[in-house]
């Protein structure tokens, strides 16, 4: 039995490209702080809101991805999102993992 | 939209005509399909005629008739579709077309200089576009490496003092 | 703090004149204007994306990535020091040499890009057309101007192509990217036959030098070997011919399906014969017009920049003795030079366990010093993600080797199984499906034993993290393609590819391997080669003789529990 799948919303900050995660009506720098969407309508609504905000030119390319909550920790389902949230696996001194 | 021609604002004297619409008086722009269907009637009208080509339509499809046209409008369905750059050049070189080549559709400020180089001389631009924008677009890059239909001296020629 | 630099040596390479400098300077400000319009919201991301790509700027998995053009792979020590400075100032202290002889920075901020471009322009560098659907930065044989094999140095032609293709008004919005390579030797080090278009310097039956033009090669989703478009194009006609090929491509390529928009698809759809006919029509017309004719004086003027340096004479022409480690290094990393007493030395950026192609700012600075002291101020980037010192005195090789050892760049493995090409993969790339670098590291560690590497001999492993094939997996003797299997990384093996003059496309073995099995599978495949090879056979030769079956059988044969 695998844990239930939730959604999270991510984007890149326009001015520096940094990876951001959605929290409330704004953005945070780490996945751990971000909002979990328990159902598809909530996730889609968050994405629609972020897309509507694109004209503000704060972020680019928002999209939803799958996460699981296991033992209290949130972990993306796909390797891609695990790496995006942490940084390159081959350079632990770089990316978000370096300052974690 | 407004029309920029030969570096100045111009009254658009051409009326675009849908394939199934009746021909109004005066200068018209028709599709290639309409032109091929009503060729003789269109050419017999004693009024300026323009044809609008979609990006996949090679101007050679107009055959010898091209030089009986006053205008060829080349369409950019998406600014990323760059076929019209070659079509304009082909019109100005192989086909010897001296009439108006008008850029229509989805193109960017950043493409105007290239369009001018390959032979466009008229642009349908959004209302917010200014003559200043146009001048700046043409002067961002002073020199060019390639010969094109604008006849500008290339950097190679400038180096050689030609 | 940096140590004071030794006086930089200015190598014999192209130098910007006032026109080139102004062109690049204005292009920088043009792009700075585009960045400003994007930040202000005057350009949408959809509009900005093709514009930024055309200037080498990607948005990757973690940040923006900026790809700096290294035209035909040639760099001066001054340029290397500038790259080190940019790595330190605007990035995280390192850069990555790519399979297209370029250098990319992984951690760039959009707001810093105009400043970086201005710094690059100071040393006659730029990012023009390092991405996007346009003619990309031209690549060339890394031994150009140094190898005794070549008919002539192909770099003057590459520079002429660079200028002609820079902001070409007709060809900046092509259906897809367009990569050109040039070479001048029978032994192809530039993977000519895998390019959209390639030019080989040749001599015709009358002994005249001209150019053979090929087109329609490529890797990616649909790999093809290039077709010969014309066996011999006269020197003065070459730009007219290249323009003719591009014009047919721009006019006739599909635009309805992104996977079918490269020139290779067009040529293979209409057939090479029809392609040659269409190109010839444009070519004859361009020739008649004459505007693209390349005058002999211009070719001579550009060629003069690349004149062979004043090589010393009377130097000893033997390799010095300097111990077994040095001897091992010279076996693989040192190649013959055109001038007596000189050699070409390869610095493999493939020390066991390192990220293939990565170089830190500190390493770049030391390499610049080595260039100035020992290689007439010059270095080359190879498509195999290594560096080359093109002109070194044989007597200096031990001193160079010692400095490279200090730098941890003295791996004696050029062309061996641990000299692996790997794209950035899922560690950095937004398009990737799987990581490439850790696979390269695992294989390199498995074969770290040098005696074993030499026992195996020439074996080129090439790894891509997705079907786009930046890691040239189709052209690897052993190719590895990373795929996504329900969010988990998975790797397919390909055998029998070659990017050299005997070009071939690797054959897919079948089902793939997990992240932890792929290095073992490669080891089993290599075991088959060692058991079955005949004397003098490379891995590729044995594969071509015995075929896939024995390799496949062994690859899937897990060791008994």
């Amino acid at each position: 039995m695998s844990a239930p799948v939730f959604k999270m919303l991510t984007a890149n900050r326009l001015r520096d490209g940094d990876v951001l995660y959605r929290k409330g009506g704004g953005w945070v720098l780490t996945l751990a702080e971000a909002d979990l969407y328990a159902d598809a309508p909530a996730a889609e609504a968050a994405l629609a809101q972020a897309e509507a905000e694109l004209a503000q030119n704060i972020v680019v390319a928002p999209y939803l991805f799958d996460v699981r909550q296991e033992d209290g920790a949130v972990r993306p389902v796909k390797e891609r999102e695990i790496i995006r949230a942490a940084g390159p696996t081959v350079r632990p001194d770089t990316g978000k993992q370096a300052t974690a | 939209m407004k029309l920029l021609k030969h570096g100045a604002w111009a009254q658009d004297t051409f009326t675009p005509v849908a394939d199934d619409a009746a021909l109004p008086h005066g200068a018209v722009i028709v599709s290639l399909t309409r032109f091929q269907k009503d060729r003789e009637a269109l050419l017999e009208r004693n009024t300026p005629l323009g044809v609008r080509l979609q990006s996949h339509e090679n101007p050679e499809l107009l055959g010898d008739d091209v030089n009986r046209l006053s205008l060829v409008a080349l369409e950019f369905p998406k600014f990323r579709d760059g076929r019209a750059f070659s079509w304009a050049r082909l019109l100005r070189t192989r086909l010897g077309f001296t009439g108006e080549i008008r850029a229509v559709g989805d193109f960017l400020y950043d493409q105007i200089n290239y369009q001018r180089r390959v032979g466009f001389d008229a642009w349908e631009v959004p209302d917010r576009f200014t003559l200043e924008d146009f001048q700046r677009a043409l002067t961002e890059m002073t020199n060019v490496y390639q010969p094109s239909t604008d006849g500008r001296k290339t950097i190679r020629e400038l180096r050689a003092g030609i | 703090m940096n140590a004071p630099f030794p006086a930089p040596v200015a190598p014999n390479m192209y130098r910007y004149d006032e026109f080139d400098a102004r062109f690049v300077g204005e292009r920088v400000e043009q792009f700075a204007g585009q960045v400003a319009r994007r930040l202000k919201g005057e350009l949408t991301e959809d509009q900005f994306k093709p514009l930024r790509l055309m200037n080498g700027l990607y948005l990757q998995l973690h940040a923006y990535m900026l790809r700096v053009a290294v035209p035909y792979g040639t760099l001066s020590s001054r340029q290397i020091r500038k790259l080190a400075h940019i790595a330190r100032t605007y990035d995280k202290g390192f850069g990555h040499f790519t399979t297209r002889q370029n250098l990319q920075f992984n951690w760039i901020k959009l707001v810093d890009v105009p400043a970086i471009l201005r710094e690059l322009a100071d040393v006659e560098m730029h990012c023009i057309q390092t991405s996007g659907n346009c003619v990309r930065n031209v690549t060339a044989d890394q031994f150009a101007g140094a190898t005794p094999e070549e008919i002539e140095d192909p770099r003057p032609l590459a520079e002429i192509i660079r200028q002609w293709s820079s902001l070409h008004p007709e060809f900046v919005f092509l259906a897809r990217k367009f990569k050109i390579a040039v070479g001048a030797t029978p032994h192809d080090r530039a993977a000519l036959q895998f390019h959209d278009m390639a030019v080989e310097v040749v001599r015709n039956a009358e002994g005249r030098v001209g150019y053979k033009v090929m087109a329609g090669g490529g890797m990616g989703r649909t790999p093809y070997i290039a077709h010969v478009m014309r066996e011999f194009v006269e020197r003065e006609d070459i730009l007219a011919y290249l323009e003719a090929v591009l014009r047919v491509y721009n006019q006739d390529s599909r635009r309805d399906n992104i996977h079918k928009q490269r020139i290779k698809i067009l040529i293979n759809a209409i057939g090479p014969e029809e392609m040659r006919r269409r190109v010839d029509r444009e070519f004859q017309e361009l020739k008649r017009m004459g505007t693209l004719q390349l005058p002999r004086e211009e070719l001579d003027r550009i060629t003069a920049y690349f004149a062979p340096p004043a090589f010393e004479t009377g130097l000893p022409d033997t390799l010095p003795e300097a111990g077994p480690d040095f001897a091992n290094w010279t076996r693989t990393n040192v190649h013959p030079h055109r001038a007596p007493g000189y050699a070409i030395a390869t610095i493999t950026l493939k020390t066991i366990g390192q990220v293939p192609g990565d170089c830190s700012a500190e390493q770049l600075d030391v390499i610049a010093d080595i260039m100035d002291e020992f290689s007439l101020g010059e270095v080359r980037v190879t498509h195999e993600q290594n560096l080359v010192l093109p002109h070194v005195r044989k007597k200096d090789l031990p001193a160079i080797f010692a400095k490279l050892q200090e730098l941890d760049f003295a791996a004696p493995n050029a062309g061996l199984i641990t000299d692996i090409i790997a794209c950035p993969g899922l560690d950095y790339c937004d398009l990737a499906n799987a990581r490439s670098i850790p696979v390269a590291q695992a294989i390199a560690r498995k074969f770290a034993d040098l005696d074993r590497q030499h026992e195996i001999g020439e074996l080129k492993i090439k790894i891509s993290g997705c079907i786009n094939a930046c890691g040239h997996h189709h052209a690897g003797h052993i190719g590895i393609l990373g795929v996504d299997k329900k969010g988990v990384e998975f790797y397919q093996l390909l055998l029998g590819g070659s990017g050299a003059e005997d070009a071939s496309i690797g054959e897919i073995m079948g089902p793939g391997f997990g992240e932890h099995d792929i290095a073992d599978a490669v080891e089993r495949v290599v075991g088959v080669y060692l058991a079955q090879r005949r004397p003098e056979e490379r891995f590729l030769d044995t594969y071509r003789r015995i075929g896939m079956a024995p390799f496949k059988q062994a690859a899937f044969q897990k060791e008994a529990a």
Side-chain angles (χ1 to χ4, degrees):
Chain A
M1 280 285 291
S2 57
V5 173
F6 297 90
K7 296 268 186 201
M8 288 182 116
L9 178 59
T10 183
N12 292 80
R13 189 154 55 198
L14 173 65
R15 56 182 285 110
D16 60 7
D18 210 341
V19 174
L20 302 176
Y21 296 94
R22 188 75 166 179
K23 182 182 174 64
W27 300 92
V28 291
L29 283 165
T30 62
L31 179 140
E33 297 172 75
D35 286 343
L36 280 180
Y37 306 111
D39 54 42
E44 293 300 333
L47 178 61
Q49 181 60 32
E51 281 171 348
E53 290 167 13
L54 284 176
Q56 297 171 14
N57 301 300
I58 306 295
V59 304
V60 295
Y63 65 90
L64 296 165
F65 63 98
D66 294 340
V67 296
R68 286 200 179 95
Q69 206 168 18
E70 285 166 340
D71 307 325
V74 174
R75 193 175 159 80
V77 172
K78 287 200 166 200
E79 187 70 32
R80 172 194 159 91
E81 297 305 329
I82 295 172
I83 295 172
R84 182 167 155 97
T89 62
V90 294
R91 286 295 299 253
D93 58 322
T94 63
K96 296 181 190 295
Q97 60 198 346
T99 47
Chain B
M1 297 300 270
K2 49 190 184 177
L3 181 67
L4 209 163
K5 196 171 164 181
H6 299 129
W9 299 122
Q11 194 63 41
D12 190 356
T13 54
F14 286 83
T15 308
V17 181
D19 284 356
D20 52 1
L23 287 174
H25 286 292
V28 292
I29 301 178
V30 297
S31 71
L32 178 66
T33 311
R34 176 85 182 249
F35 176 75
Q36 288 172 332
K37 186 166 141 270
D38 297 341
R39 176 181 169 274
E40 286 179 17
L42 285 162
L43 290 173
E44 272 168 20
R45 283 161 49 102
N46 207 9
T47 147
L49 177 62
V51 172
R52 178 176 173 128
L53 297 179
Q54 295 178 52
S55 65
H56 65 273
E57 292 171 339
N58 186 329
E60 287 191 288
L61 294 169
L62 293 164
D64 292 338
D65 293 336
V66 67
N67 285 309
R68 299 172 70 181
L69 303 178
S70 301
L71 175 154
V72 176
L74 296 175
E75 190 179 315
F76 289 78
K78 270 273 160 216
F79 73 92
R80 292 185 298 273
D81 182 343
R83 281 175 283 196
F85 292 102
S86 283
W87 301 145
R89 177 151 163 169
L90 193 149
L91 279 164
R92 291 290 187 227
T93 55
R94 182 181 307 155
L95 304 179
F97 182 68
T98 54
E100 175 180 334
I101 301 181
R102 185 183 292 190
V104 297
D106 177 31
F107 57 89
L108 300 180
Y109 161 87
D110 307 85
Q111 294 176 300
I112 287 176
N113 192 34
Y114 303 124
Q115 289 167 334
R116 208 238 337 220
R117 292 218 61 213
V118 297
F120 286 89
D121 56 3
W123 291 264
E124 264 183 29
V125 294
D127 290 337
R128 64 175 186 281
F129 194 86
T130 68
L131 282 182
E132 240 176 22
D133 291 334
F134 181 70
Q135 280 312 318
R136 200 173 56 245
L138 299 186
T139 50
E140 284 179 340
M141 301 296 299
T142 305
N143 294 312
V144 298
Y145 284 111
Q146 316 76 11
S148 195
T149 61
D150 56 354
R152 279 171 73 178
K153 281 189 184 174
T154 63
I155 288 175
R156 179 182 69 69
E157 290 168 322
L158 294 169
R159 280 172 180 149
I162 293 168
Chain C
M1 285 291 290
N2 299 325
F5 298 141
V9 178
N12 286 6
M13 57 187 271
Y14 187 71
R15 298 298 310 267
Y16 286 3
D17 64 12
E18 57 184 303
F19 297 104
D20 301 308
R22 183 168 188 181
F23 184 90
V24 170
E26 288 178 345
R27 174 67 183 124
V28 168
E29 296 316 316
Q30 186 178 50
F31 188 70
Q34 291 168 349
V35 171
R37 283 158 59 210
R38 176 67 190 104
L39 290 169
K40 277 191 282 185
E42 293 170 18
L43 285 170
T44 65
E45 188 61 21
D46 277 353
Q47 292 170 330
F48 182 56
K49 187 177 174 186
L51 300 177
R52 67 167 156 76
L53 289 175
M54 210 177 288
N55 211 50
L57 187 65
Y58 287 73
L59 185 54
Q60 292 288 30
L61 199 56
H62 311 291
Y64 290 98
M65 178 271 273
L66 184 65
R67 185 180 291 152
V68 181
V70 180
Y72 35 89
T74 295
L75 286 167
S76 69
S77 57
R78 199 167 151 248
Q79 291 172 326
I80 287 276
R81 289 193 181 93
K82 179 62 87 175
L83 294 171
H85 164 76
I86 290 170
R88 260 192 296 270
T89 311
Y90 302 99
D91 202 272
K92 294 189 187 291
F94 65 103
H96 175 78
F97 288 103
T98 76
T99 52
R100 295 213 72 252
Q101 301 180 313
N102 294 320
L103 180 115
Q104 54 199 39
F105 293 112
N106 295 307
W107 301 96
I108 294 299
K109 295 177 167 63
L110 177 61
V111 290
D112 286 340
V113 173
I116 297 171
L117 295 177
R118 288 179 196 118
E119 296 236 26
L120 288 169
D122 284 346
V123 294
E124 303 178 9
M125 296 187 81
H126 60 71
C127 300
I128 297 169
Q129 290 166 218
T130 52
S131 179
N133 293 337
C134 49
V135 180
R136 300 289 189 86
N137 181 45
V138 182
T139 57
D141 179 5
Q142 64 268 20
F143 289 178
T147 174
E149 301 166 12
E150 75 192 5
I151 293 174
E152 66 179 23
D153 188 337
R155 290 175 304 161
L157 176 66
E159 173 59 26
I160 287 165
I161 294 173
R162 184 191 74 82
Q163 295 185 20
W164 157 78
S165 62
S166 293
L167 305 189
H168 192 301
E170 207 178 327
F171 306 135
V172 279
F173 294 89
L174 297 169
R176 288 285 273 127
K177 56 190 164 185
F178 199 91
K179 298 175 180 177
I180 302 179
V182 296
T185 59
H187 181 56
D188 176 11
R189 280 172 289 263
L192 294 184
Q193 296 175 77
F194 280 105
H195 281 77
D196 294 288
M197 186 152 67
V199 185
E200 186 183 342
V201 180
V202 292
R203 210 184 285 280
N204 72 2
E206 294 137 56
R208 206 159 64 250
V209 173
Y211 308 111
K212 173 175 161 181
V213 178
M214 295 164 268
M219 298 195 236
R221 192 173 297 259
T222 326
Y224 282 112
I225 307 274
H227 293 279
V228 175
M229 286 289 107
R230 203 177 174 93
E231 289 286 352
F232 193 83
V233 178
E234 299 288 350
R235 281 187 188 282
E236 64 267 26
D237 294 332
I238 187 64
L239 290 183
Y241 196 81
L242 302 186
E243 180 137 325
V245 174
L246 266 155
R247 182 168 301 163
V248 171
Y249 171 55
N250 192 41
Q251 292 176 174
D252 296 353
S253 172
R254 289 176 63 166
R255 302 250 178 181
D256 60 334
N257 178 341
I258 192 173
H259 302 309
K260 298 188 185 299
Q261 294 178 190
R262 296 284 291 271
I263 193 174
K264 61 190 174 186
I265 304 291
L266 172 66
I267 294 178
N268 287 286
I270 65 176
E273 204 48 55
E274 171 63 11
M275 184 69 187
R276 282 190 280 267
R277 192 191 64 76
R278 293 187 194 180
V279 169
D280 203 56
R281 178 174 181 229
E282 300 292 339
F283 176 53
Q284 297 307 335
E285 182 174 283
L286 283 160
K287 252 173 73 160
R288 269 196 308 279
M289 287 168 58
T291 49
L292 267 170
Q293 197 186 45
L294 179 65
R296 185 72 219 193
E297 308 83 70
E298 177 68 358
L299 183 61
D300 288 347
R301 196 186 70 81
I302 303 273
T303 302
Y305 285 103
F306 297 95
F311 294 117
E312 289 173 44
T313 53
L315 291 171
D317 200 30
T318 49
L319 287 176
E321 297 281 336
D325 290 348
F326 174 73
N328 273 328
W329 183 72
T330 58
R331 262 176 80 186
T332 49
N333 293 43
V334 173
H335 287 86
H337 194 279
R338 59 192 281 179
Y342 282 81
I344 302 169
T346 298
I347 305 169
T348 50
L349 307 179
K350 310 288 173 62
T351 301
I352 304 299
Q354 86 152 105
V355 176
D358 268 17
C359 209
S360 72
E362 291 68 33
Q363 287 169 325
L364 286 169
D365 275 334
V366 176
I367 286 168
D369 293 346
I370 294 172
M371 290 159 66
D372 283 339
E373 193 173 350
F374 298 110
S375 189
L376 303 171
E378 191 175 347
V379 79
R380 307 285 174 75
V381 186
T382 83
H383 87 270
E384 295 179 328
Q385 299 177 289
N386 294 320
L387 297 176
V388 163
L389 300 169
H391 310 299
V392 297
R393 292 177 298 202
K394 284 184 180 167
K395 69 185 175 80
D396 290 335
L397 285 167
I400 294 169
F401 180 66
K403 284 187 186 269
L404 292 176
Q405 279 181 311
E406 280 175 41
L407 210 53
D408 209 14
F409 273 160
N413 60 356
L416 300 182
I417 191 167
T418 60
D419 182 8
I420 300 170
I421 290 183
C423 73
L426 191 53
D427 278 303
Y428 292 98
C429 180
D430 189 46
L431 300 174
N433 291 320
R435 286 173 296 164
S436 305
I437 297 164
V439 173
Q441 290 169 320
I443 294 171
R445 288 197 185 98
K446 191 167 278 295
F447 291 95
D449 181 82
L450 193 60
D451 289 339
R452 194 167 170 216
Q453 289 185 53
H454 279 268
E455 163 74 12
I456 295 165
E458 182 188 307
L459 205 170
K460 292 178 187 285
I461 297 184
K462 306 187 181 189
I463 308 172
S464 305
C466 80
I467 193 78
N468 291 314
C470 296
H472 294 189
H473 62 273
H474 298 293
H477 299 175
I478 297 177
I480 298 174
L481 167 64
V483 296
D484 173 305
K485 208 169 161 183
K486 295 178 184 161
V488 177
E489 297 158 298
F490 211 64
Y491 297 90
Q492 291 188 330
L493 267 183
L494 296 86
L495 301 183
S498 169
E501 62 279 8
D502 59 351
S504 58
I505 295 165
E507 190 187 340
I508 297 174
M509 190 181 266
F513 301 87
E515 179 196 349
H516 301 291
D517 299 327
I518 182 70
D520 288 335
V522 167
E523 191 172 36
R524 291 193 291 273
V525 164
V526 171
V528 172
Y529 158 64
L530 290 174
Q532 301 233 16
R533 70 175 166 187
R534 291 177 178 167
E536 306 298 314
E537 264 187 354
R538 301 171 299 162
F539 175 90
L540 183 62
D541 304 320
T542 303
Y543 172 82
R544 285 175 175 171
R545 178 170 57 79
I546 68 177
M548 176 65 87
F551 292 99
K552 183 170 179 176
Q553 193 185 4
F556 288 103
Q557 200 164 61
K558 295 265 171 146
E559 283 176 46

